[in-house]
Amino acid sequence: MKIVPYPHPALRTKAEPVKAIDKDLHLLVGRMFELMYEHEGLGLAAPQVAQGVQVLVMNFTGSSKNPDTECVAINPVILESKGSVEDREGCLSFPGLFQRVRRAKQVKVQAYNLKGELYEMTCSDLIARIWQHEIDHLNGMLFIDKMSMLAKLAAKPEIEAFKADFDKALRKGDYPPGIAPKF
């Protein structure tokens, strides 16, 4: 399992709700945390590892040395959002690309944990941004979709390079046959 780069089609596919919390889901979550830390991320959504289920892993400090700040979200939803703030954002499926993106300043979210318990969290600033970014992944939405026109223009050469690299990987056979991104 690896983090898939843009424009892998899994990144544009709407994830299905999790119906059962089983051993396979626990293994998926464990591997997602490993990949997130390996790539120095704050969050990772299942579609980013080509898994079409509504699962997120996050650590708001980004450090595996702080497991008490780890968060698993199964079938998460944003219940409320307030305010608006623009800040710098990146994504593990777009390594090295950072642009300013406008998001809600505060969100109230609801999700299930790995024990199947429903929980709610109200958060703001960076933590709210992480939640919104990762939940967008579950809906096939990417941070490049949220960029301003100016940010999109600035990022265009990098986005084109991601497309070219992915096309090269397809031709090399790094992905199964039949995977073709929709631009």
Side-chain angles (χ1 to χ4, degrees):
M1 182 181 294
K2 62 183 177 181
I3 295 174
V4 296
Y6 178 79
H8 192 289
L11 298 172
R12 292 293 190 184
T13 304
K14 189 169 172 57
E16 294 294 322
V18 171
K19 296 192 180 4
I21 298 172
D22 55 16
K23 181 183 176 188
D24 289 339
L25 187 68
H26 280 264
L27 292 171
L28 172 63
V29 164
R31 182 64 181 130
M32 286 173 64
F33 270 120
E34 289 172 1
L35 286 167
M36 182 187 78
Y37 292 131
E38 181 182 321
H39 294 273
E40 300 178 359
L42 299 174
L44 186 65
Q48 290 180 273
V49 293
Q51 300 296 307
V53 292
Q54 293 183 15
V55 176
L56 312 174
V57 299
M58 298 169 281
N59 186 321
F60 306 122
T61 67
S63 174
S64 61
K65 294 177 179 150
N66 296 323
D68 53 321
T69 56
E70 288 182 348
C71 182
V72 175
I74 299 167
N75 301 338
V77 293
I78 296 174
L79 300 174
E80 297 174 11
S81 58
K82 294 180 183 172
S84 176
V85 64
E86 187 177 83
D87 206 348
R88 193 168 178 255
E89 196 167 309
C91 179
L92 295 178
S93 292
F94 294 81
L97 176 63
F98 297 91
Q99 283 293 334
R100 296 185 69 75
V101 174
R102 182 163 297 283
R103 296 215 182 252
K105 181 171 177 53
Q106 181 179 341
V107 294
K108 180 178 182 180
V109 294
Q110 183 181 70
Y112 291 91
N113 63 22
L114 274 175
K115 295 177 184 173
E117 301 163 334
L118 187 64
Y119 67 93
E120 287 184 4
M121 181 186 293
T122 300
C123 47
S124 57
D125 301 316
L126 178 61
I127 296 173
R129 179 170 295 277
I130 296 167
W131 274 102
Q132 292 169 83
H133 178 106
E134 300 307 333
I135 288 174
D136 276 353
H137 274 298
L138 301 181
N139 294 305
M141 173 124 358
L142 303 173
F143 89 117
I144 60 172
D145 303 329
K146 304 271 185 176
M147 289 180 190
S148 70
M149 191 56 68
L150 191 57
K152 285 179 183 178
L153 284 171
K156 188 173 180 164
E158 290 167 286
I159 292 170
E160 292 302 319
F162 284 118
K163 290 177 183 177
D165 289 347
F166 188 78
D167 190 48
K168 201 179 302 176
L170 280 176
R171 285 194 309 272
K172 240 173 73 181
D174 291 347
Y175 294 98
I179 288 184
K182 298 173 189 165
F183 298 120

